[in-house]
Amino acid sequence: MREIKDAGRRRGDHSTMDQPLAQPCRIYVVDDDSAVRQALAFALDLEGFDVETFESGEALLLRDPPDAPGCLVIDERLPGITGLDTLRQLRARQVMLPAVFVTSHPKPSFREAAAQAGTPIVEKPLEGETLISAIYRVLDRRTP
């Protein structure tokens, strides 16, 4: 596992991080499309993150609660429970990892619910460093 501060230095411009985290960080990717999961895992690994992937919200919820700093990257449109419902269930279990939703064509009701949860939305198709920047922003919010 690499550290966020090292990833930020290696990739260059992550000016949103005033105080890079010194602890390892894991990104939990939840997406039902295996090609998307693999592509995100590859890109996030290149960025220096430790990545764990899940094909559904239920699969993530079956996992023991995370024990290291991290971030959730959750597709809103999942089979079974939605990404938003997955996040709500995690919050009910006191799992307070920051999150980023990824989805295409989000409805106004979803935008409002995500805003109320303090969770940004990155729209598909994902372009450039948009997701990486969103991850760094939500990770930066939780630093002292």
Side-chain angles (χ1 to χ4, degrees):
M1 267 189 267
R2 296 181 188 101
E3 297 178 87
I4 292 176
K5 65 180 180 181
D6 293 337
R9 285 188 191 135
R10 189 181 56 208
R11 296 290 293 183
D13 183 26
H14 291 292
S15 57
T16 59
M17 294 192 64
D18 295 330
Q19 296 178 343
L21 299 175
Q23 296 180 336
C25 183
R26 176 169 282 187
I27 306 298
Y28 302 91
V29 174
V30 184
D31 198 299
D32 59 314
D33 184 324
S34 64
V36 171
R37 277 195 316 273
Q38 290 173 1
L40 290 175
F42 179 76
L44 293 168
D45 181 64
L46 284 177
E47 187 64 25
F49 292 110
D50 184 26
V51 182
E52 190 171 344
T53 63
F54 301 87
E55 68 280 354
S56 67
E58 291 90 348
L60 174 66
L61 293 168
L62 288 174
R63 185 196 187 284
D64 289 333
D67 56 356
C71 177
L72 302 161
V73 173
I74 308 174
D75 186 6
E76 168 52 14
R77 296 181 183 144
L78 296 169
I81 63 172
T82 66
L84 185 59
D85 287 336
T86 300
L87 184 62
R88 287 177 177 151
Q89 287 190 35
L90 288 168
R91 297 296 186 251
R93 296 176 184 185
Q94 301 303 309
V95 176
M96 304 310 286
L97 290 174
V100 175
F101 285 118
V102 292
T103 193
S104 55
H105 311 295
K107 295 179 181 178
S109 60
F110 174 66
R111 287 185 185 279
E112 184 178 322
Q116 288 175 353
T119 305
I121 300 170
V122 176
E123 291 189 47
K124 293 179 180 179
L126 301 174
E127 296 180 9
E129 299 261 334
T130 307
L131 178 61
I132 301 293
S133 295
I135 290 170
Y136 277 109
R137 280 193 305 276
V138 298
L139 288 171
D140 191 43
R141 275 193 238 154
R142 70 180 186 129
T143 59

